[in-house]
Amino acid sequence: WSELAILVVARRWTCAYEWAVHTGEATRAGLEPEIIEAVGRDVAVPAFEGLDAVVHAFARELVTTGRVTDQRYDDALEALGEVVVVDLIGLVGYYTLVAFTLNAREVPPPDGAPRLPALD
């Protein structure tokens, strides 16, 4: 779940380096390529189900609005448990800091690494 949340953060802040590094990690963690592509293009992902759907919705709402609704929090709590929800919030915050740091210095992705898709 963590790599999916990191990709959501990388997409939100258009952090090319974070995206490049974590797409490989997400693939190794078993995240489907079509999910990675959809997150990168910031489009709906019909293949999302189960925990991926919960993590994606929670992380995306948090980075988009700076908060989550009570319903989104309750859904995550039920699916993930309190410890994981707190970890998810911390992870999203930490990787937002990382994205800001990388973007402030315009750190490019490594040569040959996956590129963050341009938004339409």
Side-chain angles (χ1 to χ4, degrees):
W1 62 265
S2 61
E3 292 302 325
L4 174 56
I6 294 166
L7 292 181
V8 170
V9 171
R11 169 67 281 164
R12 169 61 178 94
W13 301 115
T14 312
C15 185
Y17 186 91
E18 197 169 61
W19 180 265
V21 170
H22 285 279
T23 53
E25 294 299 319
T27 299
R28 283 187 282 287
L31 200 59
E32 298 294 327
E34 60 270 12
I35 292 175
I36 294 171
E37 180 184 341
V39 171
R41 292 184 10 242
D42 197 28
V43 297
V45 185
F48 272 150
E49 54 187 38
L51 296 181
D52 283 346
V54 172
V55 169
H56 179 264
F58 190 97
R60 191 168 187 282
E61 188 171 311
L62 186 56
V63 297
T64 302
T65 68
R67 55 189 41 84
V68 294
T69 62
D70 289 344
Q71 185 62 56
R72 180 81 63 216
Y73 187 87
D74 291 344
D75 291 347
L77 200 58
E78 183 178 329
L80 304 169
E82 185 174 22
V83 170
V84 175
V85 170
V86 171
D87 286 348
L88 177 56
I89 294 165
L91 182 94
V92 167
Y94 174 74
Y95 278 94
T96 294
L97 169 66
V98 170
F100 285 179
T101 302
L102 293 166
N103 285 348
R105 297 300 308 142
E106 297 181 3
V107 177
D111 289 338
R115 298 294 184 210
L116 182 62
L119 294 177
D120 296 332

